[in-house]
Amino acid sequence: TYSNILVSVTDGTSVASLPALSIAVQAYSLGSATLNWTPPTQNTDGSPLTNLAGYKLYWGTAPKSYSQSVTIANPGITTYIIENLQTGTYYFSATAYTASGTESILSGEASKTIP
């Protein structure tokens, strides 16, 4: 807490001042969510997946409503940390995409609450 803060203004002739005030500063921290997944090996029709190019991760603050996303253009990456999440509950889903740009359906949804 910072106390006895004085605020005043002058026009060169007159001075106006507010009564002394205090400001309380509270620590604020942001949270993170670590997402892990297993790379798919088959297409939805059961045929072998041979041209996996990467993943798209989606998240938002309402179920099945994703306002944020990131593209991971490396099929070898299977973990991603989403940082700077404010307090609240977040919902996450992912897709895989091929070299030709075909994107899978969304995965099942996961959630995490940031205190």
Side-chain angles (χ1 to χ4, degrees), residues 12-89:
T13 304
S14 301
V15 176
S17 298
L18 294 174
L21 58 102
S22 297
I23 296 177
V25 179
Q26 297 181 347
Y28 182 78
S29 63
L30 298 173
S32 65
T34 302
L35 306 178
N36 299 292
W37 59 91
T38 301
T41 58
Q42 294 180 338
N43 293 304
T44 55
D45 65 3
S47 62
L49 177 59
T50 58
N51 58 351
L52 180 63
Y55 310 96
K56 292 184 182 180
L57 306 178
Y58 298 90
W59 67 96
T61 56
K64 301 190 184 331
S65 180
Y66 310 116
S67 58
Q68 302 286 322
S69 67
V70 65
T71 299
I72 301 170
N74 180 340
I77 293 176
T78 59
T79 299
Y80 189 82
I81 300 172
I82 299 172
E83 298 178 312
N84 300 320
L85 298 174
Q86 296 181 2
T87 299
T89 300

